[in-house]
Amino acid sequence: MRGINGVMKKALGDMEFTAGGGAINWFPGHMAAAIRAIRHRLKLADMVIEVRDSRIPLSSANQDLQPHLSSKRRVIALNKKDLANSNIMNKWVDFFDSCNQDCIPINAHSKSSVRKEKRKRATVGPLPGVTQDIAGYKIAHQPSIYVLDTPGVLVPSIQDTETGLKLALAGSVKDEVVGEERIAQYLLAVLNSRRTPLHWRRHLNNRRMEGIQYEPEERHRFNLNDLQPKRRAPPNKSDAVYVEDLVTEVQCALYTTLSEFDGNVEDENGLESLIEVQFEALQKAMKVSHMAAEARLRVSKKLLTLFRAGKLGQFILDDVPITKIS
């Protein structure tokens, strides 16, 4: 991982996610108020369901609240399990079990994970900052059971740059806070260090045999942002084929550039040069004009959208700890 750390430090400098300004001021005001309210309301709770992101089971935990949460009966719900590698997810469940911590992977958008009830619920969304108030709901009468739904809250200061980038890549921190190009660069560093594009070879061969199926004039009608949950109805067949072919072109570009790379991805200079080549290859694969202003930004946005929609595969960014966490 030396290459990733070197590239991050060189590209981002000594960036810190802090509430008081600094290089990046990211902590929304509603989160500060929510944290105070959560600490107060926890006194009333008999049980806590702590929702984390399956792709970052540790990085998505609010460390400032852990002492308060651990004193309660708690279940950790690892949401978005459909975007996480199932084999690694099983190891995370085993890890939490070894810590005597109840844990269950879920997909909040799946009826099989969360039973559909005819009741009020808080407004939520795929982007951070949608839920901003604590709301209470009565969900049972005998016995009376109430649920307090809180906003997602993170710590005001994240001193570790990679943890901040993981949160940004997962969409827990708004893109404009860190910058799409920075996040995309980190994503490419992760993919290359894990040699992920090399594992796409068989899939790419199968897709190449099928051929490109969408009509060129249809390409501009579909917005990749529509892949985000609850943005709109599922894409029609032509849209789905376009997305699938776009994913193939992107994966092919990353596979080709990595397989032909004769440097060392563990070396920060080598990894940096590879990423530069990959940005150019992606720009061609995505058919972003070389003359277009902010072409690299457009490439970054498209790449992040595909990753967050699970189109590039299922990932867990956090490593399973070797020892228990106290």
Side-chain angles (χ1 to χ4, degrees):
M1 302 295 285
R2 290 181 295 121
I4 289 183
N5 294 333
V7 167
M8 287 193 304
K9 185 173 182 180
K10 189 171 184 179
L12 308 180
D14 295 324
M15 181 185 72
E16 293 182 352
F17 297 74
T18 61
I24 290 186
N25 184 352
W26 78 278
F27 193 63
H30 79 271
M31 281 193 184
I35 287 178
R36 292 192 296 269
I38 289 173
R39 287 173 177 163
H40 177 71
R41 298 291 182 87
L42 274 174
K43 300 174 183 178
L44 306 176
D46 298 305
M47 179 179 178
V48 173
I49 299 177
E50 181 187 357
V51 181
R52 300 186 188 179
D53 192 313
S54 289
R55 297 164 295 177
I56 43 176
L58 286 185
S59 296
S60 58
N62 186 309
Q63 297 302 328
D64 288 354
L65 288 176
Q66 290 308 304
H68 304 276
L69 299 176
S70 61
S71 64
K72 297 285 185 177
R73 182 181 178 186
R74 172 177 60 170
V75 173
I76 294 179
L78 297 176
N79 192 25
K80 302 181 182 179
K81 71 173 185 178
D82 55 313
L83 301 178
N85 183 296
S86 58
N87 292 327
I88 305 299
M89 178 56 59
N90 290 335
K91 295 181 180 180
W92 271 104
V93 173
D94 291 340
F95 165 76
F96 283 116
D97 285 344
S98 71
C99 300
N100 298 317
Q101 171 59 64
D102 293 327
C103 169
I104 179 172
I106 67 168
N107 177 7
H109 294 289
S110 170
K111 293 181 181 179
S112 62
S113 286
V114 182
R115 186 176 64 185
K116 186 176 181 181
E117 297 180 21
K118 295 181 179 180
R119 61 177 178 83
K120 297 179 180 179
R121 62 181 178 85
T123 302
V124 297
L127 298 177
V130 175
T131 305
Q132 298 192 2
D133 299 311
I134 295 180
Y137 305 98
K138 188 173 184 178
I139 62 172
H141 296 278
Q142 294 181 349
S144 295
I145 300 177
Y146 295 85
V147 170
L148 295 178
D149 187 30
T150 72
V153 290
L154 298 171
V155 292
S157 296
I158 304 174
Q159 302 302 326
D160 180 67
T161 301
E162 186 168 10
T163 298
L165 286 171
K166 288 177 181 178
L167 289 165
L169 180 55
S172 298
V173 177
K174 291 183 178 180
D175 286 346
E176 56 266 28
V177 172
V178 181
E180 287 91 343
E181 293 181 41
R182 284 174 165 175
I183 306 172
Q185 185 179 22
Y186 173 67
L187 171 57
L188 290 175
V190 170
L191 294 177
N192 291 322
S193 296
R194 296 184 177 187
R195 278 47 171 205
T196 300
L198 300 182
H199 301 306
W200 294 334
R201 181 175 182 176
R202 179 178 297 180
H203 165 75
L204 289 172
N205 287 340
N206 292 339
R207 287 289 295 130
R208 286 299 185 184
M209 290 178 64
E210 295 173 9
I212 304 299
Q213 302 179 39
Y214 64 81
E215 295 297 329
E217 62 269 18
E218 293 181 344
R219 291 181 305 177
H220 67 282
R221 299 177 185 175
F222 182 72
N223 189 331
L224 284 180
N225 288 330
D226 292 334
L227 291 174
Q228 297 176 359
K230 296 190 175 182
R231 284 294 298 265
R232 48 159 271 183
N236 58 41
K237 182 177 180 180
S238 62
D239 288 341
V241 171
Y242 161 61
V243 173
E244 188 173 356
D245 285 334
L246 175 61
V247 170
T248 299
E249 294 296 332
V250 168
Q251 291 181 328
C252 184
L254 297 182
Y255 167 77
T256 301
T257 50
L258 179 56
S259 62
E260 295 178 352
F261 179 63
D262 58 1
N264 182 7
V265 295
E266 294 298 325
D267 174 73
E268 62 180 86
N269 293 325
L271 182 57
E272 183 182 24
S273 64
L274 172 60
I275 291 174
E276 288 302 314
V277 171
Q278 288 177 326
F279 265 112
E280 294 180 5
L282 288 172
Q283 186 171 344
K284 181 178 180 181
M286 295 176 180
K287 297 178 173 58
V288 175
S289 173
H290 287 273
M291 302 300 294
E294 299 182 336
R296 187 167 173 134
L297 177 60
R298 291 173 58 186
V299 169
S300 298
K301 288 182 175 181
K302 288 188 176 184
L303 182 64
L304 293 176
T305 299
L306 291 176
F307 172 81
R308 290 165 179 166
K311 299 302 180 180
L312 300 181
Q314 298 171 311
F315 296 87
I316 293 183
L317 301 174
D318 283 339
D319 295 327
V320 180
I322 299 177
T323 58
K324 297 179 182 179
I325 297 178
S326 58

